[in-house]
Amino acid sequence: MSEAEFPLWEVFVRARRGLSHQHVGSLHAPDAEVALRRARDLYTRRGEGVSIWVVPSGAVSASDPGEKEPYFTPARDKDYRNPTYYELPREVRGL
Amino acid sequence: MTTLSETGSSTGTGSRFEELLAADERVEPRDAMPEAYRATLIRQIAQHAHSEIIGMQPEGNWLTRAPSLRRKAILLAKVQDEAGHGLYLYAAAETLGVSRGELLDALHAGRQRYSSIFNYPTLTWADVGAIGWLVDGAAIVNQIPLTRCSYGPYARAMVRICQEESFHQRQGYESLYALAHGTESQHAMAQDAVDRWWWPSLMMFGPPDAASTHSSKSAAWKIKRHSNDELRQRFVDLCVPQAEILGLALPDPDLRLDEATGRYAYGEIDWSEFKAVLDGDGPCNRQRIDRRVTAHREGRWVREAAAAYREKRQGAS
């Protein structure tokens, strides 16, 4: 394969107004304009979206999967951040 | 902190990988995974992607000769979907650290395979209907369990693909139903197509369990959740009543309902034919690869033009 490959882009699609863009997959394209066009053809053939973002994959920084446990554990220790942590009188309403 | 393109290592955290599998969690691209798991996935996903894009050819053969504008629009949409499925799957394979170019090279040079079913010719218009009903039907039965396979990107690609395959199967059945209930010669054409596609469709599930080389490891890794024979049986059980409604016969004199199990017993599959087609001696093997290599070569100027345009614009800004 003598040809250089086009860069990889991550594709995000907003399914409809009021929802946030969600990651749907990735594709190769020479530039952002072509990436958008390809994303439209590849990921919205059946009206799956009203808006598309494309982001060069290399521009996405990510947390290290190996550090998963220590990195995310603190939040799980803090049960008191969740509403179900609190015990309230049975008869109370509207809380 | 890392970037998305870095793939997980092959060594070091084997126990973490085992934990994920045991908890029925998905393995994601940047997780550490055994080298054999990675290699198996690359082989399987690549073969699957190749099948999608080679699969465009037998049906593409009828695009200019579809019997009505409606059927032509449907067939165009279906063939475009197959291209899309190929792209989802190539992208999933690439998350394992292999490049698109390497995969296409491997296909073109015959180092990686595609499903043997696409080495059969589409002789009549009814073949398009039979492919939709039987070949896409078999693909769906094979693919639905893959939406729960252990590798996240593959499973996610399969969810999209299965949603779209459903249209493929239904359009095929509708088309075949119209022929089967048309004139005498249309009915005969539909029957002939089913006669030719039935056995190759059963072969799509792969060798019998006793002879399958990849199955046991893939099952342990939760890539494969059901055996070849189990899925084949499921497919036969679905097809028999569907064939009755079509008013077409399935070409198997041994096909009969087993009252005890409620399942259909079927005749012996000719595995020598399967092996011959897999080894390159099917009716269309050479034609399919030649066409693919030519299409890739003829598209080269488009890729070069896109690259040149990007460079020109970057220079201008």
Side-chain angles (χ1 to χ4, degrees):
Chain A
M1 173 81 15
S2 54
E3 292 177 59
E5 284 184 10
F6 292 139
L8 195 65
W9 302 74
E10 300 301 321
V11 181
F12 300 80
V13 171
R14 182 201 295 283
R16 55 173 200 275
R17 290 184 171 277
L19 297 180
S20 54
H21 287 74
Q22 278 212 338
H23 184 244
V24 292
S26 53
L27 52 76
H28 290 277
D31 58 39
E33 201 181 328
V34 177
L36 274 175
R37 208 174 277 243
R38 289 187 176 174
R40 180 202 62 186
D41 290 349
L42 190 54
Y43 291 107
T44 64
R45 285 197 300 283
R46 289 174 173 78
E48 291 95 332
V50 295
S51 166
I52 303 173
W53 290 348
V54 290
V55 179
S57 302
V60 179
S61 302
S63 59
D64 186 340
E67 279 186 53
K68 210 171 222 156
E69 296 309 330
Y71 200 73
F72 293 108
T73 300
R76 242 186 279 156
D77 291 348
K78 298 181 174 63
D79 282 356
Y80 49 84
R81 288 180 169 174
N82 297 315
T84 49
Y85 174 80
Y86 299 93
E87 286 181 24
L88 302 180
R90 277 182 165 278
E91 58 274 23
V92 70
R93 292 285 173 264
L95 281 171
Chain B
M1 196 175 79
T2 59
T3 66
L4 275 188
S5 57
E6 288 171 47
T7 52
S9 69
S10 307
T11 51
T13 40
S15 60
R16 166 97 184 126
F17 173 78
E18 297 298 334
E19 277 167 28
L20 286 174
L21 287 189
D24 229 346
E25 291 240 28
R26 299 292 174 266
V27 178
E28 293 294 343
R30 295 157 63 254
D31 289 327
M33 60 186 88
E35 195 47 43
Y37 176 79
R38 184 191 305 278
T40 296
L41 277 170
I42 290 174
R43 182 186 57 77
Q44 181 171 337
I45 301 173
Q47 176 169 333
H48 200 157
H50 299 330
S51 301
E52 297 286 355
I53 63 166
I54 295 288
M56 295 167 74
Q57 292 185 36
E59 292 181 284
N61 181 30
W62 283 92
L63 277 174
T64 57
R65 293 175 291 162
S68 69
L69 190 55
R70 176 175 179 267
R71 294 286 178 205
K72 181 173 181 162
I74 292 169
L75 187 55
L76 261 176
K78 179 176 192 290
V79 173
Q80 189 191 15
D81 272 356
E82 309 296 2
H85 296 177
L87 292 172
Y88 305 152
L89 288 162
Y90 283 122
E94 285 173 279
T95 64
L96 292 158
V98 64
S99 77
R100 182 81 53 102
E102 288 171 67
L103 297 174
L104 288 177
D105 276 353
L107 169 65
H108 298 164
R111 291 194 306 276
Q112 282 174 349
R113 285 170 166 168
Y114 54 89
S115 175
S116 65
I117 192 81
F118 301 115
N119 290 315
Y120 292 88
T122 41
L123 302 179
T124 72
W125 167 251
D127 287 26
V128 173
I131 288 178
W133 174 42
L134 294 173
V135 176
D136 291 298
I140 291 172
V141 170
N142 252 331
Q143 289 168 354
I144 284 176
L146 288 172
T147 62
R148 295 183 295 115
C149 92
S150 60
Y151 189 58
Y154 191 27
R156 290 191 286 276
M158 293 319 303
V159 170
R160 293 188 72 90
I161 290 173
C162 284
Q163 284 164 353
E164 299 181 354
E165 284 298 344
S166 169
F167 135 62
H168 297 181
Q169 192 188 19
R170 289 173 65 111
Q171 66 81 33
Y173 192 85
E174 187 206 64
S175 171
L176 214 51
Y177 188 91
L179 290 172
H181 292 79
T183 64
E184 206 171 300
S185 64
Q186 285 171 332
H187 182 94
M189 183 166 75
Q191 183 62 59
D192 169 65
V194 169
D195 288 347
R196 283 181 289 108
W197 288 95
W198 173 249
W199 289 107
S201 298
L202 292 191
M203 294 175 199
M204 284 176 69
F205 296 91
D209 294 348
S212 181
T213 44
H214 302 297
S215 285
S216 58
K217 263 200 162 166
S218 288
W221 282 328
K222 297 189 177 177
I223 297 171
K224 195 173 171 63
R225 300 214 174 232
H226 305 279
S227 79
N228 294 352
D229 287 333
E230 213 177 315
L231 293 171
R232 189 166 13 246
Q233 183 65 55
R234 190 176 296 178
F235 177 68
V236 171
D237 292 341
L238 286 167
C239 284
V240 174
Q242 291 171 354
E244 279 167 18
I245 294 168
L246 282 174
L248 297 173
L250 294 172
D252 180 356
D254 298 324
L255 196 64
R256 57 174 181 80
L257 182 66
D258 182 336
E259 300 283 356
T261 60
R263 315 204 80 172
Y264 287 89
Y266 52 91
E268 191 74 25
I269 295 171
D270 180 1
W271 292 111
S272 64
E273 174 182 323
F274 177 72
K275 189 175 181 310
V277 176
L278 216 54
D279 289 345
D281 290 328
C284 302
N285 295 53
R286 266 173 295 274
Q287 180 188 335
R288 299 290 185 239
I289 286 296
D290 285 351
R291 180 74 204 105
R292 174 89 266 286
V293 171
T294 306
H296 192 68
R297 192 178 58 231
E298 289 177 348
R300 184 169 185 157
W301 71 270
V302 179
R303 299 189 292 276
E304 286 174 352
Y309 183 62
R310 173 184 54 173
E311 271 161 42
K312 182 178 149 189
R313 293 227 308 191
Q314 279 172 348
S317 62

